[in-house]
């Protein structure tokens, strides 16, 4: 486990790219400017991949699993740029797989059963409330796909809870829960109401959460 301070000089490039790309992405979405979205969303995803690689994600088993999850999330980001139903389903599958790989990564860290126990109630509440909110708006294949996706998110959050007490626990738990809550903005846009509010809070929360997860490789 590293004992020195976090290498901000190494992280500066990815963080600056993330700030610029996410800010421009949010503005592009507010103005409904598609070229800005198509340019800045992949750039914002590149920032969290860059951060993980700069912090030597490939130097540990945990980091390799996390990096694979980040790559799938980048694929999901690209697919969700498009409005077609099959693109949304592809993005949903990419993010679902990303959540699964994150869960596997978390299980490579020392396990805290207390942390797992403390995670159960908030995870169950999140699942129940989200399903009650979305179910009236789901039809066709989404009636099965969305509950399956929520189940996988819950599994990822429970696995994140097992990392309590590890050096990476604070950014890891913050990133995992932030990622889960950012999915609510995507769900609201897709199934409830597609307005500017979704991207205004959901986009920065999502990319900030991915950056936090990418940063955890330094502490392993």
């Amino acid at each position: 486990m590293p004992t020195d301070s976090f290498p901000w000089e190494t992280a500066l490039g990815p963080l600056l790219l993330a700030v610029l790309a996410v800010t421009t992405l949010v503005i592009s979405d507010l103005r409904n400017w598609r070229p800005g979205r198509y340019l800045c969303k992949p750039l914002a995803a590149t920032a969290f991949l860059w951060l993980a690689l700069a912090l030597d994600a490939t130097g540990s088993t945990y980091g390799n699993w996390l990096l694979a999850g980040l790559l799938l999330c980048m694929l999901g980001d690209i697919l969700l740029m498009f409005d077609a139903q099959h693109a949304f389903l592809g993005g949903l599958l990419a993010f679902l797989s990303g959540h699964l790989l994150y869960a596997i990564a978390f299980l490579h860290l020392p396990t805290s059963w207390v942390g797992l126990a403390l995670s159960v109630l908030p995870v169950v509440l999140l699942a129940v409330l989200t399903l009650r909110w979305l179910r009236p708006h789901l039809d066709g294949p989404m009636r099965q796909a969305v509950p399956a996706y929520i189940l996988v998110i819950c599994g990822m959050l429970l696995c994140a809870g097992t990392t309590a007490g590890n050096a990476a626990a604070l950014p890891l738990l913050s990133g995992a829960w932030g990622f889960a809550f950012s999915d609510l903005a995507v769900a609201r846009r897709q199934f409830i109401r597609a307005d500017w509010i979704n991207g205004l809070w959901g986009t920065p929360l999502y990319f900030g959460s991915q950056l936090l997860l990418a940063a955890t490789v330094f502490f392993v």
Side-chain angles (χ1 to χ4, degrees), residues 85 89 135 137-147 191:
Q85 181 80 345
L89 284 170
R135 187 171 289 279
H137 306 280
L138 303 177
D139 53 29
M142 292 300 167
R143 291 189 66 84
Q144 291 76 43
V146 170
F191 303 116

Side-chain angles (χ1 to χ4, degrees), residues 100-120:
L100 284 172
L101 293 182
Y102 285 166
I104 294 171
F106 301 157
L107 292 176
H108 280 81
L109 300 180
T111 299
S112 168
W113 297 110
V114 173
L116 174 61
L118 291 175
S119 300
V120 171

Side-chain angles (χ1 to χ4, degrees), residues 60-66 98-113 115-116 119 152 154-164 166 168 172-173 176 213 216 220:
S60 67
T61 302
Y62 168 83
N64 279 302
W65 281 107
L66 189 80
H99 280 297
L100 284 172
L101 293 182
Y102 285 166
I104 294 171
F106 301 157
L107 292 176
H108 280 81
L109 300 180
T111 299
S112 168
W113 297 110
L116 174 61
S119 300
V152 170
C154 290
M156 184 273 291
L157 291 174
L158 290 173
C159 291
T162 68
T163 68
N166 284 276
L172 191 155
L173 287 165
L213 289 170
T216 61
V220 175

Side-chain angles (χ1 to χ4, degrees), residues 40-52:
C40 293
K41 201 169 188 183
L43 282 176
T46 298
F48 58 67
L49 286 174
W50 181 10
L51 180 60

